[in-house]
Amino acid sequence: MAKLHAGNKVACFIYAVERSLDNYKLNLNHTKDTFIRQIKNRSIAARVIDEGAAEEENGVNFAEYVAILSGNTDILEKAKLEQKIAAMKSEQFSFYQQQAISRSKLDGYQKEIKTNAERLTVLNDDLKYLEKVAPVDKNGNRLNALHLIGEKNADTQTQAEMLARIDKTTRSIGQYKKIGEIYGFDVVVSTIRWYNELHKECFANQFYVDNGKGIYYSINNGYLPNDPKQATRYFIRALGKIPSLISNIEKRNKDLGKDIPILEEVTNSKWGKEQTLSGLQNELSVLDRKIQTEIDKINETVEQSNDMQDENKLPLTNPDRIIPKPVSVITNSRTTAPRIKI
C-alpha cells in the first residue's frame, strides 16, 4: 500500500502516556539529543544544570526545597538570579556568534566584489579587442581564425584530425600546453588524471583559450565536441561566452551589494542587554556575600555552643587512669578467628 499510495514511505509514530515512565524517558532522550546538538554546533556558551527550573507540576523544585529547610529565602532568590544570568549569557553568546558569522561573510563578500571588479575590467578589455579584430557578420557569427602549431593553411577537416590526435596523445598533467592561437589568444590544452573503480589510471584533455591574464575561456567544461566541424569552432565559441560572463559577474556583484548593508548593520550593532546582565551579576554578588555572612554567623554560633558543652562536661577524677570498655568475644563457627565487639 505504501509503495502504491504513499511514495514508498511509511510514517513512524511513537506514543507515550502523560506523566508516565515512558513519557519521562522520551523527554530525557530529547534533552540529551538537544544537548549533543548544542555542543556539536557550538550554539550555546555553557551548559548549566538549572536546579531552579527542575520542577514538576504542583511540585517543589530543589532550590525551594533547600530554602524551606534552611529557613533562608535568599537561596531561592540566588537560584532564580543564576537562572536569569545563564539565559542572558546564552543569548549574549548567540548574538556575538551571529555577529562573527556576519563579519566573516561580509569580508568574503567584499573580497569577492573586488575580485569580480578586477575580472570585469579584463573581460571588457578582451571583448573590446575581440570586437575590433573579429567583428560579427550579419548573421552574428565570427570568422574562425584558428591556427594550430604545425599546420599551414589547413582546412576544417585537417584541423579536426589534428585536434583529435592532440586529444588522444597529449599528457600535460598539471600544465597548460600551447597548441595554437586564435585572434592573438593562445589555444592551450591541459590533461587531468583519475583512477576508475578498477584502480586503472585514466586521462582526459581539456581545451581552453588563454587570454594571458589568468582567465581561461571554455565551453562544455573544456571537452571537445565529437563532431569535427564543431570541434574546430570550439575556440571561437569559447570566446563568444565573454558577454555572458560579464553579465553573470555584474549580476553577482549586484546581488552581493544588496546584502552588504545588512551585514554591516549586524556587524556594527551592539548587544543591548550588557547593562542588565552586569546589574544581575552585581546583584548576585551582593546576595552571595549576604548568604555567606549568614552562614558564617551560624557556624560561629555552633562553635560557641560546642565550646559551652565542652566546658560543662565533668572532668575525670584521675585523668591518667583510663578505664577500658568491656568487650565481648563472639565466635564464628565458619571462621577460626574471633570477632571482637566493642
Side-chain angles (χ1 to χ4, degrees):
M1 294 296 294
K3 186 175 182 180
L4 296 176
H5 303 286
N8 203 23
K9 295 181 180 180
V10 178
C12 181
F13 299 95
I14 300 176
Y15 297 92
V17 180
E18 292 184 359
R19 302 178 65 84
S20 65
L21 180 61
D22 291 340
N23 186 22
Y24 169 77
K25 286 292 186 181
L26 288 174
N27 290 332
L28 181 62
N29 290 334
H30 175 71
T31 302
K32 289 180 179 179
D33 180 63
T34 303
F35 170 73
I36 292 171
R37 282 189 285 106
Q38 287 175 341
I39 295 299
K40 287 184 176 180
N41 299 332
R42 298 182 64 189
S43 59
I44 191 169
R47 187 71 182 182
V48 180
I49 298 177
D50 186 7
E51 295 173 339
E55 61 177 335
E56 296 181 0
E57 187 179 358
N58 299 326
V60 179
N61 61 42
F62 180 78
E64 291 175 342
Y65 180 71
V66 174
I68 292 172
L69 291 181
S70 63
N72 186 357
T73 57
D74 291 336
I75 297 177
L76 179 59
E77 293 299 325
K78 177 185 176 183
K80 292 181 179 180
L81 275 176
E82 289 175 341
Q83 180 182 357
K84 291 181 180 179
I85 291 173
M88 292 193 70
K89 283 186 175 180
S90 178
E91 181 182 345
Q92 182 189 43
F93 174 80
S94 299
F95 173 83
Y96 286 121
Q97 185 184 47
Q98 185 61 40
Q99 192 176 57
I101 293 173
S102 299
R103 185 179 294 109
S104 176
K105 189 179 293 186
L106 176 62
D107 293 340
Y109 283 5
Q110 290 174 340
K111 290 179 181 178
E112 185 177 352
I113 289 177
K114 182 179 178 181
T115 302
N116 287 344
E118 295 173 353
R119 190 173 298 172
L120 280 173
T121 301
V122 177
L123 290 174
N124 283 314
D125 291 342
D126 288 347
L127 182 60
K128 291 179 181 178
Y129 171 78
L130 186 63
E131 290 176 345
K132 180 180 179 181
V133 299
V136 296
D137 57 19
K138 60 181 181 180
N139 297 324
N141 299 320
R142 286 187 173 91
L143 179 65
N144 186 15
L146 174 65
H147 294 282
L148 297 176
I149 296 176
E151 61 134 328
K152 293 182 180 180
N153 301 323
D155 55 11
T156 301
Q157 183 63 32
T158 303
Q159 285 185 341
E161 292 174 358
M162 293 180 66
L163 288 173
R165 185 167 58 254
I166 292 172
D167 189 17
K168 185 177 180 180
T169 60
T170 301
R171 296 293 179 265
S172 60
I173 298 174
Q175 297 179 352
Y176 292 96
K177 181 181 178 181
K178 182 178 178 179
I179 61 173
E181 63 177 23
I182 182 171
Y183 291 115
F185 297 102
D186 289 341
V187 174
V188 298
V189 59
S190 178
T191 305
I192 59 174
R193 177 175 57 185
W194 77 95
Y195 295 89
N196 60 16
E197 61 276 5
L198 301 177
H199 305 284
K200 182 181 179 181
E201 190 176 31
C202 301
F203 300 94
N205 285 314
Q206 294 175 313
F207 295 82
Y208 305 93
V209 178
D210 181 11
N211 73 340
K213 299 177 183 178
I215 297 180
Y216 296 86
Y217 301 110
S218 69
I219 55 176
N220 193 31
N221 294 323
Y223 299 109
L224 289 177
N226 294 325
D227 182 75
K229 184 177 180 180
Q230 293 297 326
T232 56
R233 293 194 57 83
Y234 168 88
F235 303 99
I236 193 64
R237 290 175 58 201
L239 290 174
K241 287 189 61 178
I242 295 179
S244 62
L245 291 174
I246 293 175
S247 177
N248 291 337
I249 294 177
E250 288 177 345
K251 183 178 181 302
R252 174 63 178 171
N253 274 4
K254 185 178 179 180
D255 293 339
L256 294 177
K258 293 179 181 178
D259 294 336
I260 283 182
I262 301 174
L263 294 174
E264 287 178 341
E265 182 180 356
V266 174
T267 301
N268 298 326
S269 63
K270 295 182 178 180
W271 192 53
K273 298 182 180 180
E274 293 284 359
Q275 294 183 351
T276 304
L277 177 60
S278 178
L280 290 176
Q281 289 175 333
N282 293 334
E283 187 177 348
L284 180 61
S285 299
V286 173
L287 196 58
D288 272 334
R289 289 194 294 269
K290 181 180 178 182
I291 293 174
Q292 187 60 43
T293 301
E294 294 179 358
I295 292 175
D296 293 340
K297 289 181 180 179
I298 294 174
N299 292 336
E300 185 178 353
T301 302
V302 172
E303 290 178 359
Q304 291 177 356
S305 176
N306 291 335
D307 292 340
M308 292 179 62
Q309 290 180 2
D310 292 340
E311 291 177 358
N312 293 332
K313 288 182 180 179
L314 294 176
L316 295 173
T317 56
N318 188 358
D320 296 332
R321 183 187 175 200
I322 300 176
I323 303 174
K325 296 180 180 180
V327 300
S328 59
V329 178
I330 303 175
T331 60
N332 190 342
S333 59
R334 291 176 295 180
T335 59
T336 57
R339 291 187 301 170
I340 300 176
K341 182 177 180 182
I342 301 176

